[in-house]
Amino acid sequence: MIIFVGRSNVGKSTLIYRLTGKKVKRGKKPGVTRKPIEIIWRNKRVIDMPGFGFMSGIPKHVQERIKTDIVRFIEEHAGEIEVAVLVIDGKSALEIIERWERRGEIPIDVEFFQFLQELNIPTVVAVNKLDKIKNVSLTINKLIEKFGLSGTWEDYKELFVPVSAKFGTNIEELRKVIDKKIREFQERRE
Ligand code: GDP
C-alpha cells in the first residue's frame, strides 16, 4: 500500500495523477473531501488521504476529525504501508511552519512527519511547486531543520525530493525513490 498525505491544496492530486496516470480529484462537497480515495495502481492500493490542516469553509471540529481519522487509518495500516508520500507546498511550507511555531504549536506537517517516523513507515517528502521555489537547497535545508533532523539535503536525498507536479519536473526522480523504498520494504518482509 502507498499513501499520500498533505495539507489541502499542496498539489497532492496533481502529483498522484503525474505518478500513476489516475485521477483522484475530489468533489467540492465536504463529505467527499473527508474520505480517503483509493485507486489501484500496479496491483497496489494507493490511498489519497483527505487534506489536513486549515481549509476555508470547513469548520475547525471537522478539520480535527479529519486529522484524527488519518492518524487512525495510518496506525491501523502501519504494517502494510510500503511508502508514505508526504506532499508539501515548497513555496509556502516554511512560512506556515514558522507561523505555527510562533504560536507555540507543532506545525501539522512536522507532526505528521514525526508520526510517520515513529511508526517506522518509509517516508518520502515531496517538496512540490518547485517551479515557485527561488532557492531550492536553502529551502530544503531549512525544512530539514524544522522537521527535527540534523544535517543538510546532501544527507537526505532520498527523503526530500523537490518536484513540480504541475509541470512534471523531477517526477522521475521521485518515482525512483518511491520504487526503491517499496523494494526495501519487500526485502524486509521476505
Ligand atoms: P490537493 O488539494 O493537494 O489535491 O491539490 P491539487 O492537486 O488540487 O492542486 C492545488 C493547486 O495547486 C491547483 O491549482 C494546481 O494546479 C496547483 N499545483 C499543483 N502542483 C503544482 C506545481 O507543481 N506548481 C504550481 N505552480 N502549482 C501546482
Side-chain angles (χ1 to χ4, degrees), residues 22-65:
K22 305 215 177 191
K23 297 230 155 140
V24 287
K25 203 65 206 163
R26 290 162 193 280
K28 286 289 166 220
K29 276 181 280 166
V32 181
T33 315
R34 279 178 237 170
K35 291 202 191 83
I37 294 179
E38 177 170 340
I39 56 168
I40 299 292
W41 176 61
R42 295 179 178 170
N43 281 323
K44 277 187 205 307
R45 295 171 74 189
V46 175
I47 316 284
D48 178 27
M49 289 296 179
F52 52 68
F54 173 79
M55 279 164 278
S56 64
I58 302 203
K60 185 104 192 195
H61 74 274
V62 177
Q63 289 171 24
E64 286 298 325
R65 179 63 200 281

Side-chain angles (χ1 to χ4, degrees), residues 6-15 24-26 28 48 51 87 89 128-132 163-168:
R7 290 173 169 280
S8 52
N9 223 37
V10 292
K12 210 151 43 73
S13 35
T14 311
L15 184 62
V24 287
K25 203 65 206 163
R26 290 162 193 280
K28 286 289 166 220
D48 178 27
V87 187
D89 177 338
N128 193 33
K129 308 201 182 182
L130 171 60
D131 54 288
K132 293 207 218 167
V163 288
S164 171
K166 188 172 175 179
F167 297 103

Side-chain angles (χ1 to χ4, degrees), residues 157-158 161-163 170-178:
K157 287 283 181 190
E158 286 176 0
V161 182
V163 288
N170 218 29
I171 296 294
E172 273 316 304
E173 178 61 25
L174 178 62
R175 201 195 302 270
K176 248 197 284 183
V177 171
I178 290 174

